[in-house]
Amino acid sequence: TPIISSPLALGGILYTGLVTTALALWVESIAFAKVPATDASIILTTEPLIAALVGAITLGETFGMSDYFGATLIIGACAYAVLMESNPTSATDDAVDVTPNGSQS
């Protein structure tokens, strides 16, 4: 296995696995423990959009119609989550408790 015998390649593999993956996920999990679940999910949901935007800016990548459609769905879902969080309505608030004999409590 010539790749593993190369110190440069082995260093790159270890760096990629340990620093950019394991360390990043560990720091991310600590940070997300300090924010509300909705905020954490919105950040994680928009991660592909941010990566695509960075790729477009730095590498000149282009987008097709399916990319724009997917981005629209992601942004729409995030906006929906924010709107639902700011206007919480619970189904249990309007529920009527009915006992088995039919009388209301």
Side-chain angles (χ1 to χ4, degrees):
T1 57
I3 291 179
I4 295 178
S5 63
S6 167
L8 182 63
L10 188 58
I13 292 168
L14 289 174
Y15 177 79
T16 300
L18 296 175
V19 175
T20 64
T21 303
L23 180 64
L25 288 174
W26 180 66
V27 170
E28 187 177 73
S29 67
I30 291 171
F32 284 147
K34 299 178 186 304
V35 298
T38 304
D39 294 348
S41 66
I42 289 173
I43 292 168
L44 288 174
T45 301
T46 57
E47 194 172 354
L49 291 177
I50 296 167
L53 182 63
V54 169
I57 292 170
T58 60
L59 302 174
E61 293 188 16
T62 58
F63 301 111
M65 280 306 285
S66 63
D67 299 318
Y68 288 117
F69 182 69
T72 303
L73 289 175
I74 291 172
I75 292 169
C78 291
Y80 180 76
V82 169
L83 292 173
M84 289 295 105
E85 184 180 29
S86 66
N87 185 15
T89 57
S90 174
T92 59
D93 292 344
D94 299 328
V96 175
D97 186 23
V98 177
T99 58
N101 63 7
S103 65
Q104 292 185 353
S105 58

